[in-house]
């Protein structure tokens, strides 16, 4: 009899412990998991990369130790915009602010030359969907004094309502070499012009006979 009473108590204790676990701990874990998913419900992720036009791979940045872009070389940017959430995102506006030393070859959307901004719209991105866009431009060498190599940073931002993300890519541009004519060169060039003029006058006199 006592054995049966003891078994009943153990069973009751076990049921109470299990009820406490279900009522107290389990709901908190479930709620925490649900909240975590809620944070990911809508999310835009932007990833910007670039490359020298003849390179196979895009890079997050191009350091001066890898390449310094010279005047006239081509740089290409890749912009990936992704919906990493669990619901569709609509009416996304992307703005890419370009450095002033670029002459654009092709780009998505519209270009505001005054602000140096390329902008375009994405109607929608389904959950897990991503799209890639490309901007290609010719580099104009820097005529700035002081720095031999000038670092340029390119920033892109994507926004839909309160959702926003941005990324940038940087590269280096070589200083443009501008020929400088010194006083010695000017004197030499003037002497050549004068000599050619005198020679031409003598030839005309010889041809006339006086």
């Amino acid at each position: 009899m006592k054995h049966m009473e003891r078994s009943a108590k153990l069973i009751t204790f076990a049921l109470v412990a299990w009820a406490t676990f279900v009522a107290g701990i389990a709901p908190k874990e479930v709620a925490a998991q649900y909240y975590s998913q809620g944070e990911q419900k809508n999310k835009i992720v932007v990833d910007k990369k670039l490359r020298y036009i003849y390179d196979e791979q895009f890079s997050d940045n191009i350091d001066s130790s890898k390449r310094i872009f010279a005047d006239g070389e081509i740089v290409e940017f890749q912009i990936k915009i992704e919906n990493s959430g669990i619901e569709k995102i609509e009416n996304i506006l992307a703005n890419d602010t370009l450095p002033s030393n670029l002459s654009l070859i092709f780009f998505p959307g519209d270009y505001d030359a005054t602000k140096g901004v390329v902008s375009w719209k994405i109607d929608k991105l389904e959950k897990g969907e991503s799209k890639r866009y490309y901007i290609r431009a010719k580099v104009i060498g820097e005529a700035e004094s002081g720095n031999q190599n000038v670092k340029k940073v390119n920033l892109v931002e994507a926004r839909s309502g309160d959702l926003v993300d941005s990324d940038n890519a940087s590269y280096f541009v070589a200083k443009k070499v501008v020929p400088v004519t010194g006083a010695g060169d000017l004197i030499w060039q003037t002497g050549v012009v004068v000599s050619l003029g005198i020679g031409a006058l003598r030839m005309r006199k010889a041809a006339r006979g006086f």
Side-chain angles (χ1 to χ4, degrees):
M1 186 69 177
K2 291 183 179 180
H3 178 72
M4 292 178 63
E5 290 178 353
R6 184 178 301 175
S7 299
K9 289 181 180 179
L10 289 174
I11 293 172
T12 301
F13 177 80
L15 290 173
V16 171
W18 173 251
T20 302
F21 173 80
V22 171
I25 299 176
K28 292 181 181 179
E29 292 179 346
V30 171
Q33 184 179 8
Y34 178 81
Y35 179 74
S36 176
Q37 288 179 347
E39 287 185 330
Q40 301 297 322
K41 185 175 181 179
N42 288 314
K43 189 173 183 181
I44 296 175
V45 177
V46 177
D47 183 28
K48 179 154 194 175
K49 298 178 183 293
L50 76 164
R51 67 170 182 168
Y52 173 55
I53 191 62
Y54 295 116
D55 289 342
E56 293 184 1
Q57 301 295 327
F58 285 90
S59 303
D60 291 324
N61 300 287
I62 298 180
D63 190 71
S64 59
S65 61
K66 182 178 179 181
R67 167 168 291 278
I68 299 172
F69 284 87
D71 185 53
E73 291 187 332
I74 306 297
V75 59
E76 186 173 48
F77 301 95
Q78 174 186 265
I79 303 102
K80 177 185 176 183
I81 301 177
E82 180 181 5
N83 174 7
S84 65
I86 61 172
E87 288 190 356
K88 178 174 64 177
I89 300 176
E90 297 180 315
N91 300 321
I92 303 168
L93 177 62
N95 289 312
D96 196 322
T97 304
L98 297 163
S100 59
N101 73 313
L102 294 178
S103 176
L104 295 186
I105 298 173
F106 70 74
F107 51 89
D110 302 313
Y111 177 54
D112 186 334
T114 304
K115 297 179 180 180
V117 176
V118 173
S119 60
W120 65 98
K121 293 182 179 179
I122 307 170
D123 292 335
K124 64 180 179 178
L125 285 176
E126 300 291 344
K127 64 176 184 179
E129 183 183 8
S130 65
K131 292 185 178 181
R132 286 179 172 83
Y133 303 88
Y134 297 89
I135 298 175
R136 186 175 294 179
K138 181 182 293 186
V139 174
I140 301 172
E142 290 293 331
E144 300 175 5
S145 59
N147 285 330
Q148 191 68 22
N149 305 314
V150 183
K151 185 177 181 179
K152 294 292 182 178
V153 180
N154 189 192
L155 175 69
V156 63
E157 177 187 277
R159 180 184 296 273
S160 175
D162 295 333
L163 303 175
V164 62
D165 192 35
S166 62
D167 194 19
N168 60 52
S170 63
Y171 60 99
F172 285 81
V173 178
K175 182 179 177 182
K176 184 188 294 185
V177 179
V178 180
V180 178
T181 302
D185 292 335
L186 182 60
I187 294 172
W188 181 83
Q189 292 172 4
T190 304
V192 170
V193 173
V194 171
S195 298
L196 291 174
I198 294 173
L201 180 61
R202 290 176 176 173
M203 290 178 65
R204 286 199 297 270
K205 288 183 176 181
R208 293 197 302 264
F210 59 89

